[in-house]
Amino acid sequence: MSSGDDDQLVRFADMLSAMGTEPRLRIIRRLLAAHPNGMVVGEIGADLDIAPSTLSHHLEKLRNEGLATVRREGAFLRYAANHDALQELLAFLYAECCTRNKVVKPETVTCC
Amino acid sequence: MSSGDDDQLVRFADMLSAMGTEPRLRIIRRLLAAHPNGMVVGEIGADLDIAPSTLSHHLEKLRNEGLATVRREGAFLRYAANHDALQELLAFLYAECCTRNKVVKPETVTCC
DNA sequence: TCGGTAATTCTGCATATATCGAAATAGTGG
DNA sequence: CCACTATTTCGATATATGCAGAATTACCGA
């Protein structure tokens, strides 16, 4: 169980790292704003002015860390923010940050 | 104001990045568990088994991004998690993640 | 099947980060 | 002032990341 906790911690660290870059945080924010419809890659790129290959790498990272999901829509790929992953991450942060201080119970965090 | 928003976003990205590494997330978690007393550097290092110079770099990063504070205590340096910064970050994430979906109001986030 | 558009993968480069031993600095107690 | 401990800074290396032009693959409509 200790190693399970470790795995979780590493996973959350990876998620935080994936969000910890200006372009990617901007992408996530944009996807959240467009939720639940999501956005097509070209639309994101045009909106945030990111070169296609660069954008592709960023989206790949977000996908890999489970922060975004894709589905093909004909010639387009539509990306959406992943709900569940974000909720897990926020719940983790709240648990670590709040439960131990007994300020707010994580149960009140029913979000996303 | 748009550039102010940008600055904020960049700042949050930096904070997320600072947490987005296994050793540092572990450090933060440890500091939160020890809150509000904080911990002395050597104590953290012994606890998490991190080489002094490596640890020093990680702590510097956490300090720089405002996630941790230090104060000298004789020969020791005592680090503590920074409350306000973490709360700001969580509030930001909740705002982005929740307000736009109108699932939970960020006002309910009165944590840390 | 062909031409056009969408998106990714390949390639290369520049920069940033993680790591840690060794040396330097800050502080304490005798 | 000196020996001792705590922590940081220095130096060096390995690895990861960000970026973007060019080539490639995937899909659509005709």
Side-chain angles (χ1 to χ4, degrees):
Chain A
M1 63 167 172
S2 164
S3 77
D5 274 12
D6 280 12
D7 290 350
Q8 274 257 312
L9 187 127
V10 171
R11 201 180 131 244
F12 287 131
D14 288 342
M15 288 172 66
L16 290 166
S17 170
M19 293 197 290
T21 232
E22 189 194 341
R24 283 199 297 266
L25 188 52
R26 216 179 276 284
I27 290 169
I28 295 218
R29 168 204 249 180
R30 196 66 194 74
L31 288 178
L32 284 168
H35 204 75
N37 302 315
M39 290 172 80
V40 156
V41 176
E43 204 179 347
I44 304 172
D47 216 58
L48 303 181
D49 195 35
I50 302 175
S53 68
T54 304
L55 179 57
S56 187
H57 286 304
H58 286 313
L59 291 172
E60 184 190 22
K61 178 123 195 168
L62 294 177
R63 236 188 302 126
N64 284 339
E65 305 309 337
L67 292 169
T69 58
V70 217
R71 73 167 199 275
R72 188 167 276 282
E73 233 173 50
F76 304 86
L77 290 176
R78 180 170 296 269
Y79 278 78
N82 182 355
H83 233 227
D84 300 339
L86 284 163
Q87 205 219 344
E88 273 184 72
L89 179 60
L90 288 183
F92 166 78
L93 291 177
Y94 266 86
E96 290 299 331
C97 189
C98 306
T99 310
R100 310 210 190 235
N101 294 333
K102 310 269 191 274
V103 178
V104 162
K105 293 206 187 68
E107 286 76 25
T108 62
V109 179
T110 328
C111 153
C112 296
Chain B
M1 60 171 176
S2 163
S3 78
D5 275 10
D6 280 11
D7 289 350
Q8 275 257 313
L9 186 127
V10 170
R11 201 180 132 245
F12 287 131
D14 289 342
M15 290 171 67
L16 290 167
S17 170
M19 293 198 287
T21 234
E22 189 193 341
R24 284 199 297 265
L25 187 52
R26 215 180 278 284
I27 291 169
I28 294 217
R29 168 205 248 179
R30 195 68 194 73
L31 288 178
L32 284 168
H35 204 75
N37 303 315
M39 290 172 81
V40 156
V41 177
E43 205 179 344
I44 303 171
D47 215 58
L48 303 182
D49 194 37
I50 303 175
S53 67
T54 305
L55 178 57
S56 187
H57 286 304
H58 285 315
L59 290 173
E60 184 191 20
K61 179 122 195 170
L62 294 177
R63 235 189 302 127
N64 283 339
E65 304 309 336
L67 291 169
T69 58
V70 218
R71 74 166 199 275
R72 187 168 277 281
E73 230 172 53
F76 304 85
L77 289 177
R78 180 171 294 270
Y79 279 78
N82 182 355
H83 234 229
D84 300 338
L86 284 164
Q87 206 220 342
E88 274 184 73
L89 179 60
L90 288 183
F92 167 76
L93 291 176
Y94 265 86
E96 290 299 331
C97 188
C98 306
T99 309
R100 310 208 191 237
N101 294 332
K102 309 269 190 272
V103 179
V104 162
K105 293 208 187 67
E107 285 78 24
T108 63
V109 179
T110 328
C111 154
C112 294

